[in-house]
Every structure is written in structure tokens, then in C-alpha cells.
Amino acid sequence: MNSTLFRPLIVPAKTAVLLVFVPNSIKQQAAVNQALEQVGKELGESIRITRVDGIIHPEVVLSFGIQRLPSFVLLKHGIEIWRYNGLPDAEELIGHLTTQLQEEAKG
């Protein structure tokens, strides 16, 4: 078995992390990438974006119970605080993430 297919997924505990479970469709991947580029520009250092490929990390997809791609899961200190299934537009995604990060900062 080729062990390079099963690389560990490391998620830092101090930063909010957006796990993005990417679809296999090239068209959908392009749309996700475009949205994530805008998210990165808007939210900068307040969030870390990590793409999860189901072929490379099937155990992560299973552990999060992902049924639909793309899916977005926001983690803070290793705990899931928000989830979205499907492809929102960039503005909608930024709005959801900003709200969740602000609520976490208050709590």
C-alpha cells in the first residue's frame, strides 16, 4: 500500500479553521476556489482554510459525516461551531463566517 495517500490532516487549535470538503467536479472546484479566494482576502489571518480531499482523507470525510459536496465546516479549538452543505456565493459565505467568528469572540 502506498502510504503517501494517507497523510495526516493537522489542524491548529488556536486558529479558527474552515475545513472545505471539495467535490470531484472541475466546475464545482473552480467555484469553490473562487469563493475561498475572496474569503481569504476578506478574513485574512482570522481564519485558516484547509481543503479536504475525500480521496486522500476518506477517514476525515467519514468522521464528519459529510454527505454532500462541497461542504464547509468551521472549527474553533477543535470543536465544530458551524456547518454549511452546498455552494454558497462568496458574499454569503463571508457573512456566515464573520458572524460565527464574532459570536465565538464574544463567548
Side-chain angles (χ1 to χ4, degrees):
M1 180 192 296
N2 186 348
S3 63
T4 59
L5 290 178
F6 300 102
R7 296 180 304 231
L9 181 65
I10 300 170
V11 178
K14 294 180 182 179
T15 305
V17 177
L18 179 64
L19 296 179
V20 182
F21 296 87
V22 295
N24 293 329
S25 159
I26 300 294
K27 185 178 178 180
Q28 281 190 330
Q29 283 180 12
V32 168
N33 290 339
Q34 184 177 8
L36 293 179
E37 188 174 312
Q38 286 185 272
V39 169
K41 285 178 185 175
E42 283 285 325
L43 300 179
E45 303 259 332
S46 64
I47 193 168
R48 179 171 176 198
I49 300 169
T50 303
R51 289 173 178 84
V52 180
D53 185 325
I55 294 171
I56 296 172
H57 298 290
E59 68 285 353
V60 177
V61 174
L62 287 173
S63 72
F64 279 91
I66 300 300
Q67 306 266 328
R68 184 174 171 205
L69 297 175
S71 286
F72 302 83
V73 177
L74 184 63
L75 305 172
K76 184 72 176 186
H77 301 293
I79 298 170
E80 182 179 330
I81 60 171
W82 177 80
R83 177 182 293 232
Y84 189 95
N85 298 311
L87 182 60
D89 65 35
E91 299 300 321
E92 182 182 4
L93 184 57
I94 290 166
H96 286 303
L97 293 171
T98 300
T99 299
Q100 291 302 317
L101 293 172
Q102 288 172 347
E103 287 179 12
E104 277 299 306
K106 291 178 188 176

